[in-house]
Structures are given as structure tokens and as C-alpha cells.
Amino acid sequence: MDSDVAGTSAQTPAESPEDAPIREWQPLSVREFGAAPQALVDLPDLGLAHALAGWLTSIQVSSNRTMLAGRTSQVTREVVPWQRVALRLNLTPRLDSQQRAEWRTTVLAHVKRPEHALDIVDAALHLEARAQARAQSLDELLSDAGSAWCVRLDRSGLVRRVDPNAASAYEMAMTSAEKARDRLSKAWSAAYGLHPDPGAAYRHAVAAVEAVAIPLFVPADSQASLGRVRAHLDQGRAKYVLAISNKAGDASGIESIIEMVSTLWHGQRDRHEGGTSSAPITQEAAEAAVHLAVLLVQWFATGAVQPRRPA
């Protein structure tokens, strides 16, 4: 098992502070002299842009080729779909002497420009499974350079780097709630992707909770929504309890759940155009909604809300 995942064996002697490995590396000037750590950066600098170009060209596939006299040699070729990446991003192709488009040269020239580098890598991840297979090395490049971006959990693109605890909660919810996985993934990507879409993030966050809550609470309602789930819980609050006990040691009521569901439902101000309270979803509201959805999905999927047992 990978030691980074498995942790330290129980037989391992205790480490002194001086011998303990640095789990999250920081420059010596930060560790020893208290210098302020550098903030994460949105756009890659020239060094990272060139490193990303190197990562793209390292995505190769090997094959055997039989030559004359029965000799066999191994041939490697790059597999990034250069033309598709260029067309996706509307990059003007460079032409050779015969006026043929040089797609590889076009993409590699643009990836070395900080304003294009992240979009190109994001497109390559989305289009090529073998690029996804090398996602760990890409993530290391981004982390080493202090980038504000990292590889998505499903390796299909880039997302904004968030607090590790928040990312861990998202991963747990994705693992525990298969019905909500697709919507939750779309919500996270829309909130933290290279080109955020707050309205879509909020919409998918609501749908992720609905995917788990409707079958659980209102399975027979053919027109069920999160609003109807909220109404069901509000009207039947005496029927349910939380797995968490209250201060007296008794089962807690579900008031907090009702409040969270209500907050998520009522906060989607762009759901109906033309109303007096209709308004665009802000980025801050979208991010908060996604994290609220992560918690609700996790709680609903793991049985944190349970039917009250007869006295």
C-alpha cells in the first residue's frame, strides 16, 4: 500500500520534531525565519508555462515496428490531440511552407504564453485519457509552482485549489452518494473551474441534494423538488431525528436540517426570472451553496437523518 495513504506503521519509533519529515513543504525561509509564504497565483508565470509545454509533449504512447530482416524497434509518438485542442480554443494555426496547418507547433507556441497555458492543459485533460493518466505529474507541477489550480478529482480538467478539508468533504460525498455524483461534480466544476458559472454551480448543487433527498423523503411525488422535500421535513419534523445526540443525550431534532435545506432552496434567486426578489447568483453564493450541498448529500446518503423510533 502507498505509504502516503497508509500512514506510519504502529511499529515505527516516535520521531523527534527535528527528524519528522515535512508533510507540507515550505521554503526554509518560511520555516526558520518566519518569512510570509507566497500567495497562490492565478496565471502561470513563464517558468510554469514552459513546464506545462514539457508535460504536454511527455504524453506519449509506445508501439513496436518491424523493420527489414525481421528486426523490431520500439517507436514512441505524442498523443495529445493537437488539432482538437487548437480548434476548441480558437487558436490560429501556424502554416508550413506548403500552407498546411502545424497544429502541434501552434498549441506548443500558445501554451508558453501564460494567458493560454491553463486553457490548453485543461482541454488536453478533457480530450485525452492518456493525459488523464499523467494527471499526478501535472498536479505536482502546479503545486510546486504555487498555482491556484489543481487537477479535478476525476482528472478531466482543472479546478481552483481549495482548502484540503473542504476538498476531502467533497470526495467523501462523491464516494457515498452515487445518485448525486454527476450533479455534485458539475456543481464543483462550475464553481471552481477555469471559467466559473455561478448560476450553473448553484443549480447543480440543488439538483445534487434532490438526487439523494427525493427518493429518501418523497419518493412517490412525481413533481418533487427540493422545495417539496423542505415542506415534507418541516411538516413532519416529529417523524425524524438526527444521528447526533442533543445535550441531554437524547436524539436531536431535524431543525438544523430544515434550516439548511431552506437556505439552499430560498437562496437560488435566479430560479424564476421577473420576480421582485430575482437576482443573479454571485460567485460567493455559488461556492457556499456547493459546500452546503456537499454536507447535505453526505448526511442524507449516510443515514444521518433517521426515522424516529416509537417510544
Side-chain angles (χ1 to χ4, degrees):
M1 184 179 289
D2 190 335
S3 60
D4 287 340
V5 176
T8 306
S9 168
Q11 308 300 321
T12 303
E15 298 168 331
S16 69
E18 292 78 12
D19 296 333
I22 302 170
R23 303 300 182 190
E24 296 293 335
W25 185 86
Q26 291 182 322
L28 180 64
S29 58
V30 175
R31 301 197 309 268
E32 298 297 327
F33 306 112
Q38 292 185 341
L40 297 178
V41 293
D42 277 330
L43 285 179
D45 59 15
L46 191 59
L48 176 57
H50 278 261
L52 295 177
W55 177 80
L56 284 173
T57 58
S58 73
I59 304 168
Q60 301 176 337
V61 63
S62 300
S63 60
N64 292 328
R65 182 175 64 183
T66 301
M67 304 172 66
L68 293 176
R71 297 177 60 188
T72 301
S73 65
Q74 191 172 66
V75 180
T76 60
R77 61 182 179 85
E78 297 170 8
V79 294
V80 171
W82 305 107
Q83 183 183 48
R84 294 190 68 195
V85 169
L87 291 175
R88 286 277 180 109
L89 299 175
N90 197 29
L91 304 179
T92 302
R94 295 190 174 193
L95 304 178
D96 62 14
S97 57
Q98 281 77 44
Q99 296 299 298
R100 293 174 300 192
E102 295 183 332
W103 298 109
R104 178 185 184 278
T105 302
T106 298
V107 173
L108 290 179
H110 281 83
V111 79
K112 294 173 184 176
R113 301 175 181 175
E115 66 272 22
H116 294 307
L118 294 175
D119 274 335
I120 288 173
V121 169
D122 184 69
L125 282 172
H126 179 73
L127 293 169
E128 178 53 56
R130 280 163 288 204
Q132 296 172 16
R134 290 186 50 79
Q136 182 176 348
S137 61
L138 172 61
D139 219 27
E140 290 169 354
L141 286 178
L142 295 168
S143 178
D144 289 344
S147 174
W149 303 95
C150 63
V151 178
R152 278 172 53 109
L153 180 62
D154 63 6
R155 300 186 171 193
S156 66
L158 300 178
V159 291
R160 184 171 290 278
R161 199 177 300 277
V162 298
D163 177 82
N165 293 323
S168 178
Y170 166 68
E171 291 177 22
M172 288 178 63
M174 289 284 285
T175 301
S176 62
E178 183 176 354
K179 293 179 180 178
R181 190 174 300 161
D182 180 62
R183 288 292 196 169
L184 209 54
S185 175
K186 289 178 179 177
W188 193 270
S189 182
Y192 293 110
L194 286 175
H195 306 287
D197 185 339
Y202 206 117
R203 184 170 63 255
H204 288 305
V206 169
V209 179
E210 288 176 335
V212 178
I214 288 174
L216 191 62
F217 299 113
V218 286
D221 189 342
S222 61
Q223 296 183 320
S225 64
L226 188 61
R228 298 213 177 175
V229 170
R230 188 201 68 79
H232 171 83
L233 293 174
D234 188 30
Q235 295 164 11
R237 62 179 65 205
K239 300 177 182 179
Y240 299 99
V241 294
L242 278 181
I244 302 172
S245 300
N246 61 23
K247 64 181 180 180
D250 301 321
S252 295
I254 61 167
E255 288 76 13
S256 59
I257 293 289
I258 297 169
E259 188 63 32
M260 285 190 286
V261 172
S262 298
T263 297
L264 185 62
W265 178 246
H266 293 310
Q268 193 179 7
R269 302 315 316 160
D270 66 344
R271 185 168 57 245
H272 301 298
E273 293 290 342
T276 56
S277 62
S278 178
I281 301 295
T282 66
Q283 180 65 23
E284 294 79 9
E287 292 177 11
V290 170
H291 290 285
L292 182 53
V294 165
L295 177 59
L296 287 170
V297 165
Q298 175 71 11
W299 279 20
F300 289 152
T302 57
V305 179
Q306 304 168 355
R308 185 184 293 274
R309 294 178 181 177

